Amino acid sequence: MRNSHKKKNILYALLVLFLVIVVVGLGYILYIAINNYNAAADYNSVRETAQPSTQSANIAEKNAGTADNPIDFNSLSEINDEIYAWIYVPGTNIDYPVLQSRSDDFFYLDHDVYKNYLFAGSIYSEVCNLRDFSDRNTVLYGHNMADGSMFATLHRFEDKDFFDDNRYIYIYQPGRKITYEIVSAYNYDERHIMNSFNFADDSVFQSYIESVMKPHAVGANVYDDIQLDLDSKLITLSTCLNGYEEGRYLVQGVMIKDEPTA
């Protein structure tokens, strides 16, 4: 009888543990779903504010053959004066404001444009980069979200056909439109790029741009017709790898046009 009672207690404890795990798991799934919903709502609202005439339309089509600026930066500055640019990458879901905290490099890792906590965070740079994109390499960060938001769709560049058909990154600032041509896309290690390379040193930068053109990564995609030199200004879009691998997935481009806008 005693053993039978003991077995029942063990089974009861295991059942309770199982139910707790199920409830916690469902709670976490619900939490992520609500977070994703809030993130989508936040950024749809921001796009409507930033692009009142396009309602989050295709910026590339609106600006074909022109240097018009579709972004209302005056309205964005009223939301958050740490918004300093807008990024658009055709063929992806990337159509977001770019932020940089003046006090905490990691603030926008898990905060939205309204400075509220948000698991999805924002697209952001760190203070080691100037806000005018004049550095030899400007690094922008974004989460690899399961719902395809933020920088998740950078992984589309893993497909060679997609890489070949989608060549440009657009950056907008007040009175300015910058066009980058994509050079390469590849898996990288976990090193912090801006802390690992002294880009002010010509020899270091020369070695770095050679690695951009010939990355040591399986499945890397590279556009061989582009030549980089010491005057090149790069942009690096950085997100997490898929799965549980350590490291980053990078899409890198070179500035080919810097235009004033109306």
Side-chain angles (χ1 to χ4, degrees), residues 14 33 37-38 82 84 91 96 101 118 120 123 157 179 186 193 199 228 231 240 245 254:
L14 289 173
Y37 176 83
N38 289 339
E82 291 183 327
Y84 72 95
Y96 292 107
S101 171
L118 186 69
I123 305 304
F157 287 96
T179 303
Y186 55 96
I193 293 174
F199 291 126
L228 303 180
D231 293 324
C240 290
E245 299 174 88
V254 61

Side-chain angles (χ1 to χ4, degrees), residues 21-54:
I21 291 172
V22 169
V23 170
V24 170
L26 290 175
Y28 180 74
I29 292 171
L30 180 62
Y31 168 76
I32 294 298
I34 292 172
N35 234 275
N36 289 344
Y37 176 83
N38 289 339
D42 277 353
Y43 285 104
N44 284 337
S45 174
V46 171
R47 289 188 194 102
E48 290 175 3
T49 299
Q51 305 170 36
S53 62
T54 62

Side-chain angles (χ1 to χ4, degrees), residues 101-229:
S101 171
R102 297 183 181 90
S103 58
D104 179 0
D105 269 343
F106 302 108
F107 182 78
Y108 290 108
L109 179 70
D110 54 11
H111 286 79
D112 65 15
V113 292
Y114 301 101
K115 298 188 176 183
N116 297 317
Y117 174 81
L118 186 69
F119 181 78
S122 301
I123 305 304
Y124 69 96
S125 64
E126 298 174 339
V127 293
C128 54
N129 274 134
L130 297 173
R131 296 186 180 198
D132 63 0
F133 295 87
S134 62
D135 291 317
R136 281 178 157 174
N137 189 16
T138 298
V139 182
L140 302 184
Y141 301 92
H143 281 302
N144 179 15
M145 297 298 294
D147 66 349
S149 63
M150 310 316 292
F151 271 179
T153 48
L154 284 181
H155 285 281
R156 292 179 183 175
F157 287 96
E158 293 175 357
D159 180 82
K160 185 64 165 61
D161 290 337
F162 182 88
F163 178 86
D164 290 340
D165 292 341
N166 295 273
R167 303 290 331 135
Y168 302 105
I169 298 166
Y170 299 99
I171 296 289
Y172 293 89
Q173 292 192 292
R176 187 184 190 195
K177 175 187 176 184
I178 310 171
T179 303
Y180 293 88
E181 187 166 14
I182 294 172
V183 178
S184 56
Y186 55 96
N187 289 355
Y188 191 68
D189 58 41
E190 67 276 8
R191 282 178 295 171
H192 186 287
I193 293 174
M194 297 303 296
N195 290 343
S196 300
F197 301 94
N198 177 16
F199 291 126
D201 185 320
D202 286 350
S203 62
V204 171
F205 187 58
Q206 180 61 46
S207 177
Y208 183 79
I209 60 178
E210 289 171 4
S211 72
V212 170
M213 293 302 302
K214 294 182 179 180
H216 299 294
V218 176
N221 285 319
V222 179
Y223 192 62
D224 296 325
D225 291 345
I226 298 177
Q227 298 298 316
L228 303 180
D229 57 36

